[in-house]
């Protein structure tokens, strides 16, 4: 699965380089990560034993600014997966015009098996090991799968202690009490909603009454279900790692959230019938949002996909072959590097506020996020129309052109 994600990034990149006719030297630069740091993370477990975890921090490209990208704690990650995610950050920040490069990090572990104190020790030791790469003008991490504001607070504290002073600009997605921004929680979901609105407007589909299926009910999928319902959509199916629920009349977002809070899963929600999580993709709907992990939509799934529009909240949810199938079937896909950029955009706002030493209010954050997402969507849509290609191919072409401009301007040292 993981090698497939990196391959998918390279396939998209190669295609974009050909489409936009960039200098082959720049194409070659973008085909490899700038630096890959692999670290051993020894952690004293609560029973006194020591476990050694593997961790990575990858800079894919930092030509346009400091590395930016989340930190993932997951049993399935490896250097290739982290590199694929880092590359996606390079393209995402370029598409949204954010002054950042692409980075990503992670530790191979199962956080559900760690106690809170073990998780803290793991986070701090991992931070310590990747410290040479970090800094407000070098690399600014953020949360990703299985990491949250608490983990970011530990990370910031570790960096700050190492520097002998508080460095709020060293990480985003922090708690509000430590210089986090209003609107960070739910920012990715808001960006996804902005893309749903733009896509539906372009396709002349009504939002009100349209049906949506959402895979994943975490930091992105959870708030998104609320936002879709608030926008007037009927969320008919939701899944998570433990199961899926379906109700053609619509699942109630509030009741579902209560159930999830009480049980830790959407499975068993009494407001809908249980379905196999794989069936979620076949559910007849106007919209499908994959908001879980990479590789969720393969060729077979794409063949029986029941939605008209796919907006990729997750990173790399569609395999290359599946993408071809969706294209052939006329299913419009808003690609991850555009659709889920709301999180990194708001991370940029947090970093900017910390640098300014001046906190923005919620309206300003929301308004600037909407403007950034709408602008990015318009640029990608216009490029797709001009080139006569899919939104994914257009998004990558746009990103590669912006990267080429920046790399050419800086030149290849020495
Ligand atoms: P999360 O850990 O909070 O939630 C992940 C969700 O996916 C959980 O509900 C989990 O149960 C579910 N899931 C896992 N495996 C599944 C499976 N096989 N079938 C169905 N559901 C499954 O993670 P998140 O932060 O919500 O991230 C989700 C995706 O969005 C990831 O691909 C991540 O890289 C991407 N993303 C997240 C952000 C962000 O701001 N958090 C920003 C950009 C992209």
């Amino acid at each position: 699965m993981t090698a497939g994600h990196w391959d998918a990034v390279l396939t998209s990149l190669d295609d974009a380089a050909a489409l936009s006719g960039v200098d082959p030297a720049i194409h070659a630069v973008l085909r490899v990560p700038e630096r890959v740091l692999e670290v051993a993370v020894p952690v004293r477990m609560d029973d006194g034993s020591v476990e050694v975890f593997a961790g990575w921090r990858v800079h894919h490209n930092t030509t346009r600014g400091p590395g930016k990208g989340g930190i993932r704690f997951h049993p399935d990650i490896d250097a290739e997966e982290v590199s694929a995610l880092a590359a996606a950050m390079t393209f995402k920040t370029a598409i949204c015009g954010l002054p950042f490069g692409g980075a990503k990090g992670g530790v191979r572990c199962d956080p559900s098996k760690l106690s809170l104190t073990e998780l803290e020790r793991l986070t701090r030791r991992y931070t310590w090991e990747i410290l040479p790469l970090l800094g407000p003008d070098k690399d600014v991490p953020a949360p990703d799968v299985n990491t949250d504001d608490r983990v970011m607070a530990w990370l910031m504290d570790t960096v700050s202690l190492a520097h002998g002073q508080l460095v709020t600009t060293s990480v985003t997605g922090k708690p509000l009490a430590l210089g986090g921004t209003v609107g960070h929680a739910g920012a990715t979901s808001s960006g996804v909603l902005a893309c749903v609105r733009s896509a539906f407007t372009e396709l002349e589909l009504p939002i009100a009454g349209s049906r949506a299926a959402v895979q994943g009910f975490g930091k992105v999928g959870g708030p998104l279900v609320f936002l879709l319902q608030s926008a007037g959509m009927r969320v008919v199916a939701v899944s998570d790692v433990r199961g899926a629920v379906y109700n053609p009349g619509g699942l109630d977002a509030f009741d579902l959230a209560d159930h999830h809070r009480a049980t830790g899963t959407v499975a068993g929600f009494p407001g809908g019938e249980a379905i196999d999580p794989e069936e979620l993709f076949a559910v007849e709907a106007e919209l499908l949002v994959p908001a879980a992990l990479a590789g969720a939509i393969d060729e077979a799934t794409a063949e029986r996909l029941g939605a008209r529009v796919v907006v990729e909240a997750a990173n790399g949810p569609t395999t290359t072959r599946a993408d071809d199938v969706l294209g052939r079937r006329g299913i419009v896909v808003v690609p991850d590097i555009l659709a889920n950029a709301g999180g990194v955009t708001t991370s940029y706002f947090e970093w900017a506020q910390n640098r300014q030493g001046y906190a923005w209010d919620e309206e300003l954050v929301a308004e600037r996020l909407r403007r950034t997402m709408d602008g990015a969507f318009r640029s990608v849509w216009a490029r797709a129309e001009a080139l006569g290609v899919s939104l994914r191919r257009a998004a990558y072409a746009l990103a590669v052109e912006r990267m080429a401009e920046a790399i050419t301007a800086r030149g290849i040292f020495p």
Side-chain angles (χ1 to χ4, degrees):
M1 175 191 87
T2 53
H5 190 188
W6 176 245
D7 289 345
V9 169
L10 286 187
T11 303
S12 296
L13 172 62
D14 294 349
D15 175 60
L19 256 184
S20 52
V22 296
D23 181 345
I26 286 172
H27 179 200
V29 167
L30 292 172
R31 282 191 109 252
V32 280
E34 228 168 62
R35 56 183 70 85
V36 179
L37 177 63
E38 180 166 324
V39 294
V41 186
V43 177
R44 173 86 53 198
M45 307 305 279
D46 290 345
D47 66 4
S49 66
V50 171
E51 251 189 70
V52 184
F53 299 89
W56 296 268
R57 185 71 185 171
V58 174
H59 290 176
H60 172 258
N61 194 286
T62 57
T63 305
R64 296 180 57 265
K68 189 90 198 78
I71 287 174
R72 178 176 293 198
F73 291 166
H74 198 275
D76 287 344
I77 62 165
D78 55 24
E80 279 206 329
E81 177 68 3
V82 179
S83 299
L85 294 163
M89 293 306 295
T90 301
F91 303 127
K92 220 178 278 190
T93 48
I95 287 172
C96 290
L98 311 177
F100 283 122
K104 204 83 180 189
V107 179
R108 189 190 292 147
C109 65
D110 182 352
S112 70
K113 298 208 167 82
L114 298 174
S115 71
L116 196 62
T117 47
E118 289 167 344
L119 190 70
E120 177 174 353
R121 287 195 289 274
L122 177 122
T123 302
R124 289 184 182 276
R125 182 60 187 250
Y126 167 68
T127 306
W128 186 262
E129 295 299 337
I130 64 166
L131 205 57
L133 296 192
L134 302 183
D137 293 306
K138 288 161 75 180
D139 178 351
V140 186
D144 191 64
V145 175
N146 292 327
T147 57
D148 55 14
D149 58 348
R150 187 175 49 193
V151 171
M152 295 306 113
W154 292 328
L155 198 150
M156 188 198 76
D157 187 63
T158 308
V159 172
S160 297
L161 290 172
H163 284 83
Q165 66 181 66
L166 179 64
V167 194
T168 52
T169 42
S170 60
V171 59
T172 60
K174 300 180 293 291
L176 270 177
L178 291 176
T181 181
V182 288
H184 198 281
T188 303
S189 320
S190 299
V192 171
L193 179 69
C195 288
V196 170
R197 285 190 191 281
S198 297
F200 273 50
T201 303
E202 293 291 350
L203 298 167
E204 297 179 3
L205 287 169
I207 291 273
S210 279
R211 294 158 301 175
V214 179
Q215 184 209 24
F217 198 71
K219 292 188 294 292
V220 179
L224 182 68
V225 168
F226 272 103
L227 292 175
L228 294 173
Q229 179 173 298
S230 308
M233 291 187 95
R234 216 163 3 119
V235 181
V236 294
V238 175
S239 69
D240 66 18
V241 71
R242 285 163 64 185
V245 281
Y246 172 67
N247 183 341
L251 299 158
D252 184 87
F254 293 92
D255 292 347
L256 184 60
D258 283 345
H259 175 81
H260 187 268
R261 243 188 313 276
T263 63
T265 174
V266 300
F269 175 56
E273 61 179 278
I275 57 167
D276 185 300
E278 273 305 303
E279 284 313 301
L280 174 120
F281 297 101
V283 161
E284 211 180 291
E286 282 65 43
L287 173 69
L288 169 74
V289 181
L293 295 177
I297 303 174
D298 61 13
E299 221 174 334
T301 307
E303 286 290 0
R304 51 193 198 90
L305 201 102
R308 167 95 202 271
V309 180
V310 176
V311 178
E312 295 181 337
N315 283 307
T318 310
T319 65
T320 306
R321 286 179 168 209
D323 208 34
D324 293 340
V325 174
L326 297 179
R328 172 170 53 71
R329 293 189 57 210
I331 295 170
V332 174
V333 180
V334 182
D336 49 4
I337 54 171
L338 169 62
N340 68 31
V344 67
T345 300
T346 307
S347 274
Y348 165 52
F349 296 161
E350 179 174 333
W351 180 78
Q353 290 170 68
N354 292 155
R355 292 191 89 107
Q356 284 179 313
Y358 181 79
W360 309 351
D361 64 28
E362 207 153 359
E363 287 72 34
L364 188 61
V365 172
E367 163 60 17
R368 287 186 172 168
L369 172 61
R370 199 186 49 72
R371 245 193 292 148
T372 304
M373 292 305 298
D374 289 353
F377 186 95
R378 268 198 309 278
S379 306
V380 171
W381 188 273
R383 187 57 55 100
E385 289 207 315
L387 294 171
V389 300
S390 69
L391 293 172
R392 188 186 314 279
R393 296 182 68 194
Y396 270 91
L398 187 67
V400 165
E401 284 161 27
R402 289 183 177 169
M403 290 308 302
E405 201 183 333
I407 294 169
T408 306
R410 280 184 68 163
I412 304 287
F413 179 81

